[in-house]
Amino acid sequence: MRRPDDAGRTVVVFDVDGTLVDSERDGHRVAFDAAFAAAGLPYRWSVEAYGRLLDVTGGRRRIAVFLEEQEYEPEEASVLAAALHADKTARFRELVAQGRVPARPGVPELIADLQKAGVTLAVATTGTLAWVEPLLERLFGADTFAEVVTGTDVRTLKPDPAVYREVLARLGVGPEQALAVEDSANGLTAALDAGLPCVVVTNDYTRGQDFTGALAVFDGFNDPDAAALLRQSAPWR
Ligand code: XBP
Ligand code: MG
């Protein structure tokens, strides 16, 4: 493995939801439903329905789009979505604190190996800063990621490339020095549009999406080919 000070510095930028952690079905979805219940609203998102709702990135936008589907006026949907999302965020932080949001199998080992090899690690996520930071610290330690850019830090969410561009700007590296690791088509589009090569590691919600343009697509981090490719050094293409 090349060291960062060799020709071609090596940076790996990870997505969080569905990539570093298994967080959607038994984490975010549960917190959204609890927020609906606490507000006295009858809505509950089934495991299947949530898969469709994931097409809209960002929890607040996801709620707003859903409420508009329930015939709320856009303005009312937006105000209610903001309040529900604030409550959802507090509830998800609680799940994080209880250790109920696990790393995906193979991820802790991959992170440890990349750290040992001197690779610079970073995060580009649509998720909210208030839960992203405690989750990363709990699972991977406080100083594992050189930069963490969240949905709170950018104006436009994935599939827009803003979050990846912000990571590269903060690190002061070009996209050719970085590799993105994503789980979804929205994330892949964001990475590619920022110029990063991208490996996709799918999960139950994203398997079957269109991953045209990905450097490689794997089912899990323990796939031997995935494990080998992700431990290679730059340049990846
Ligand atoms: C993740 C998201 C997030 C989470 C919920 O997308 O879209 O909205 O589902 O987190 P990606 P928040 O993995 O592509 O970054 O409620 O904090 O938005
Ligand atoms: Mg994701």
Side-chain angles (χ1 to χ4, degrees):
M1 179 82 68
R2 251 188 222 153
R3 300 276 161 184
D5 51 343
D6 289 348
R9 182 165 162 218
T10 302
V11 178
V12 178
V13 187
F14 287 95
D15 169 50
V16 177
D17 288 304
T19 303
L20 288 177
V21 292
D22 203 357
S23 54
E24 294 289 7
R25 190 190 67 186
D26 302 323
H28 291 301
R29 187 184 66 86
V30 170
F32 284 115
D33 275 358
F36 287 136
L41 293 167
Y43 313 121
R44 301 293 181 271
W45 288 350
S46 70
V47 170
E48 295 71 33
Y50 191 62
R52 179 184 64 80
L53 290 157
L54 278 172
D55 287 347
V56 179
T57 58
R60 191 181 52 72
R61 288 175 63 229
R62 188 170 303 139
I63 298 170
V65 167
F66 172 80
L67 291 176
E68 287 188 40
E69 287 172 4
Q70 314 307 308
E71 313 294 335
Y72 283 75
E73 293 299 322
E75 178 61 29
E76 194 186 357
S78 167
V79 171
L80 182 52
L84 287 166
H85 189 249
D87 186 43
K88 176 264 168 184
T89 298
R91 291 171 189 280
F92 189 72
R93 275 171 60 92
E94 198 48 42
L95 294 179
V96 168
Q98 292 166 2
R100 289 171 59 185
V101 183
R104 284 188 68 178
V107 165
E109 296 82 356
L110 172 64
I111 298 283
D113 288 353
L114 294 175
Q115 276 186 305
K116 259 185 249 152
V119 172
T120 299
L121 303 177
V123 157
T125 175
T126 285
T128 304
L129 178 66
W131 64 258
V132 171
E133 280 201 329
L135 177 67
L136 295 179
E137 182 165 348
R138 180 184 179 94
L139 292 179
F140 306 111
D143 298 319
T144 298
F145 298 99
E147 289 294 342
V148 174
V149 182
T150 72
T152 308
D153 305 314
V154 291
R155 277 166 181 242
T156 43
L157 304 180
K158 298 175 192 174
D160 188 278
V163 74
Y164 277 101
R165 291 198 173 128
E166 180 65 20
V167 167
L168 297 178
R170 288 192 193 178
L171 289 170
V173 298
E176 66 289 342
Q177 291 166 262
L179 175 73
V181 186
E182 278 282 355
D183 70 307
S184 71
N186 277 327
L188 171 67
T189 300
L192 293 181
D193 285 356
L196 285 83
C198 182
V199 171
V200 175
V201 186
T202 62
N203 55 51
D204 286 347
Y205 274 134
T206 63
R207 201 169 295 123
Q209 293 182 352
D210 180 1
F211 296 122
T212 304
L215 192 62
V217 181
F218 301 106
D219 251 354
F221 287 91
N222 285 328
D223 176 319
D225 292 336
L229 175 58
L230 289 167
R231 285 164 173 79
Q232 273 175 27
S233 54
W236 286 276
R237 54 188 147 196

